[in-house]
Amino acid sequence: INRSMGSTEEPSRECRITQALAKRKYHLPEQNFSEDLRTWFFNKHPVLGICFAHPLSPIGFGERIILLVGSIAFGLASTSFLYLLLHIFFMNDGNVVAFEFGGVAITKGSIFLWTFGSTFHALYDTFLWNLTSCAICQPGGMCSFLKCCRYLRTLVALNTVIIALLMAIFNVFIWGRVDEKGSGSTFVVTYMIELCMSLFVFNPITGFLTFT
């Protein structure tokens, strides 16, 4: 009798935890504040979540790889789009040096990309995470009885990532055609900084702002 009672109670507890993780709730059963903060941060982070996510996380390893690819693609698309935008509409305004740091000239376009661009990049990661987790499709959700729901949300997220990849390829191709100064190395460095800023600065900031 005790075994049967234990077997019926444990799945319900797992369902509650999975639902809480899918809804990005800040508190999980039997955890203190520091444990909740660590679980919250690792569960939704595109990079660290691959290795340190909660065992009952609604997003699996394969889906997290898709999210990471989508994040990288969106960052590349936004960087190349900004370069095109500055080149077409603002000409050389984006190349105006705002200040120098350690002998390196920082342009206004780079500052705009590393702030507003990284913020939108982090918001895109959050949107894609919510789309993939889909609390109503998880165990305990209203649509959990539909087995196709899990595959549908993964398919939608995958298509979203493919669109971001196509946008990145198209923007980079167009930028390569209009780039008359051959600033390919500068573009790569700017993009890598934007990606790191989004993943390790603005993504935690947006997460901590909603951790209440």
Side-chain angles (χ1 to χ4, degrees):
I1 299 176
N2 292 334
R3 291 179 181 177
S4 62
M5 291 179 62
S7 63
T8 56
E9 291 178 357
E10 188 64 24
S12 62
R13 177 180 176 275
E14 292 180 356
C15 289
R16 290 197 302 270
I17 294 178
T18 302
Q19 277 291 307
L21 291 171
K23 295 178 179 178
R24 300 193 306 123
K25 290 187 176 181
Y26 65 90
H27 178 65
L28 296 182
E30 303 174 2
Q31 287 196 172
N32 56 35
F33 177 82
S34 60
E35 292 173 335
D36 284 334
L37 183 60
R38 184 172 61 253
T39 301
W40 164 275
F41 178 73
F42 287 143
N43 187 55
K44 70 180 290 294
H45 196 274
V47 178
L48 301 178
I50 295 176
C51 300
F52 302 107
H54 194 279
L56 297 177
S57 173
I59 301 180
F61 177 81
E63 292 170 322
R64 289 187 180 275
I65 295 297
I66 294 176
L67 295 183
L68 180 58
V69 172
S71 179
I72 294 173
F74 185 85
L76 183 58
S78 61
T79 302
S80 54
F81 177 76
L82 177 63
Y83 267 71
L84 287 173
L85 189 68
L86 293 175
H87 179 81
I88 296 174
F89 296 101
F90 300 97
M91 297 305 292
N92 295 323
D93 289 347
N95 296 322
V96 175
V97 177
F99 62 92
E100 292 187 1
F101 180 77
V104 179
I106 307 299
T107 63
K108 292 182 179 180
S110 298
I111 295 176
F112 182 83
L113 176 66
W114 296 339
T115 53
F116 291 98
S118 296
T119 301
F120 282 111
H121 188 168
L123 293 176
Y124 171 81
D125 290 340
T126 301
F127 162 75
L128 195 59
W129 194 96
N130 289 331
L131 180 65
T132 308
S133 63
C134 187
I136 63 174
C137 301
Q138 301 299 332
M142 64 175 61
C143 296
S144 60
F145 63 94
L146 296 175
K147 295 183 179 180
C148 64
C149 188
R150 178 178 180 181
Y151 301 101
L152 181 61
R153 64 184 174 86
T154 304
L155 182 62
V156 173
L158 181 60
N159 288 331
T160 304
V161 171
I162 291 175
I163 293 175
L165 277 171
L166 293 177
M167 290 176 57
I169 295 173
F170 176 77
N171 289 343
V172 170
F173 174 77
I174 297 299
W175 168 246
R177 296 293 298 270
V178 302
D179 182 20
E180 299 175 352
K181 298 181 179 180
S183 56
S185 59
T186 303
F187 173 84
V188 173
V189 172
T190 303
Y191 162 64
M192 294 302 297
I193 294 177
E194 186 278 334
L195 182 64
C196 293
M197 290 282 290
S198 172
L199 292 176
F200 299 104
V201 178
F202 288 93
N203 191 289
I205 288 177
T206 55
F208 290 148
L209 288 177
T210 55
F211 185 79
T212 56

